[in-house]
Amino acid sequence: MTELDALRGFALCGIIFVNVPSLMRMTRTVDGAVQPVRHVLDLLVQQRFFPLFSLLFGISFALMLRSARDRNRSPEAVLVRRLLFLVVLGTLHHLLQPGEALLYYGLGGIVLLLPLNRAPLWLNGLLAGGLTVAGVTVASGGLALVPGMLLAGFVIGRSGLLHRIGQNTTELTTTFCVSLVLATSALLWQEQNPLSAGFTRSSAIAGLCLAAVYVTGLLLVLRTPTGKRISDVLEPLGRMALTNYVGATLIFVPTGLLIGLWQSNHWGAMLGLCAGILTVQAIASNLWLKKFRYGPFEWVWRSVTWWQPVSIRKEVSSARFA
């Protein structure tokens, strides 16, 4: 589903604007006032793209299990290898970017998705809702949302909801309108305490509502004539999401230190760095995928998942490993 790849690419575009200032420990306030760029990020980015990224990982795990069953492979063994790879990669990535998500996706999948793989769908959905509510009310979002959103994505992938979304634009439009109303109300609530935005319950709720607006809005745009051009940019980024996510860290950590972002308020330079990285990655992903079927990390991940080398060059027949 190309729309899923576009959504992954879109999520990457937002996440980097959270990761860079967080890792560089950039100054949030000056003389008691929130920095304007930071304030905009708190409203539109912080806790908005992370839930989407988590949801998409949950969907991908469910689709991989379905593929394993179609190939008469042991679903649990396939999923275990896929999750353990994330744990190892996430642990290494954590050394450069403490608090990164991959490690928690791997651990969350092992703890939740494996035992719930054969559980009734309604039970998965009930637990996903409960864990999400707990993540918002108890911990005000952040990494506490990983279990709920990961499981919610797993439910979406298992239920066939993706096909229904692809067929029904009316329901998508209705969801967009309702989410927009809820997001507007939540943002007004968040604005009551701007100095703590991004770390409050109101921010977490606004994040989930605005994430729903972003998802449904983008899906609607992708179905317009202009959407093809947007998809051409986002889809390659999303198809190489793992490579680009880790690659961004390898770029912005040394570059951010080099240009003086560490504990600074150079928000303009931060925006330029993030935009530059995304531009380079969009071009590089497009060029890479003209010759190869997967990004470098995606290829290793897939080979470990199926426990055999996967053909990566496009001229090799894709019938076996599609």
Side-chain angles (χ1 to χ4, degrees):
M1 187 176 181
T2 58
E3 289 180 338
L4 279 180
D5 290 326
L7 284 172
R8 289 190 190 95
F10 179 65
L12 281 172
C13 290
I15 285 174
I16 191 172
F17 289 96
V18 175
N19 288 343
V20 173
S22 175
L23 194 62
M24 291 290 107
R25 299 185 184 177
M26 296 183 67
T27 307
R28 287 179 47 84
T29 60
V30 173
D31 296 328
V34 180
Q35 295 286 282
V37 172
R38 178 67 207 210
H39 188 56
V40 172
L41 294 178
D42 284 338
L43 289 174
L44 302 180
V45 180
Q46 182 76 18
Q47 295 216 65
R48 279 59 173 157
F49 290 88
F50 178 68
L52 172 57
F53 208 46
S54 305
L55 190 80
L56 291 170
F57 264 87
I59 292 174
S60 72
F61 292 145
L63 296 180
M64 182 58 65
L65 282 174
R66 182 181 302 172
S67 178
R69 292 191 180 98
D70 291 342
R71 301 183 195 191
N72 295 317
R73 303 284 291 272
S74 169
E76 286 76 13
V78 169
L79 185 58
V80 165
R81 289 192 295 267
R82 195 164 183 79
L83 293 171
L84 286 177
F85 177 85
L86 272 190
V87 170
V88 173
L89 179 61
T91 300
L92 296 174
H93 190 222
H94 188 83
L95 299 176
L96 277 178
Q97 186 182 320
E100 65 86 50
L102 300 180
L103 174 60
Y104 298 99
Y105 293 157
L107 294 175
I110 291 171
V111 173
L112 284 174
L113 305 189
L114 274 175
L116 291 173
N117 173 38
R118 298 185 184 275
L121 195 59
W122 64 265
L123 179 59
N124 281 214
L126 187 63
L127 287 174
L131 289 171
T132 300
V133 170
V136 170
T137 57
V138 177
S140 299
L143 288 173
L145 285 176
V146 168
M149 298 310 297
L150 200 63
L151 190 53
F154 196 62
V155 171
I156 291 173
R158 285 186 58 191
S159 65
L161 185 59
L162 289 175
H163 177 73
R164 181 176 175 181
I165 292 173
Q167 298 295 318
N168 199 320
T169 301
T170 301
E171 289 186 2
L172 199 59
T173 303
T174 302
T175 304
F176 170 78
C177 293
V178 172
S179 300
L180 184 60
V181 172
L182 294 174
T184 301
S185 301
L187 286 171
L188 291 174
W189 178 23
Q190 177 181 319
E191 273 294 85
Q192 302 304 307
N193 189 11
L195 290 177
S196 299
F199 307 96
T200 61
R201 186 178 303 168
S202 61
S203 180
I205 294 174
L208 291 175
C209 294
L210 203 55
V213 172
Y214 289 161
V215 170
T216 53
L218 179 60
L219 289 176
L220 288 171
V221 170
L222 291 178
R223 298 175 189 189
T224 67
T226 306
K228 178 63 170 62
R229 298 178 183 177
I230 297 175
S231 182
D232 287 343
V233 175
L234 295 178
E235 188 183 335
L237 276 171
R239 286 179 60 189
M240 293 178 55
L242 188 63
T243 296
N244 287 326
Y245 179 70
V246 176
T249 304
L250 297 176
I251 296 172
F252 74 67
V253 169
T255 306
L257 294 173
L258 186 64
I259 65 177
L261 292 186
W262 178 257
Q263 295 184 341
S264 75
N265 61 353
H266 302 327
W267 291 94
M270 185 278 296
L271 292 178
L273 174 61
C274 293
I277 290 173
L278 290 174
T279 300
V280 170
Q281 288 187 330
I283 295 172
S285 296
N286 189 46
L287 292 175
W288 178 275
L289 291 173
K290 289 183 183 299
K291 293 186 177 182
F292 302 99
R293 300 175 62 226
Y294 312 109
F297 279 99
E298 286 76 13
W299 173 70
V300 176
W301 194 17
R302 186 169 286 260
S303 296
V304 170
T305 297
W306 297 113
W307 208 238
Q308 61 188 95
V310 175
S311 299
I312 187 172
R313 299 191 70 87
K314 276 198 168 180
E315 60 265 31
V316 178
S317 173
S318 61
R320 187 177 179 186
F321 297 107

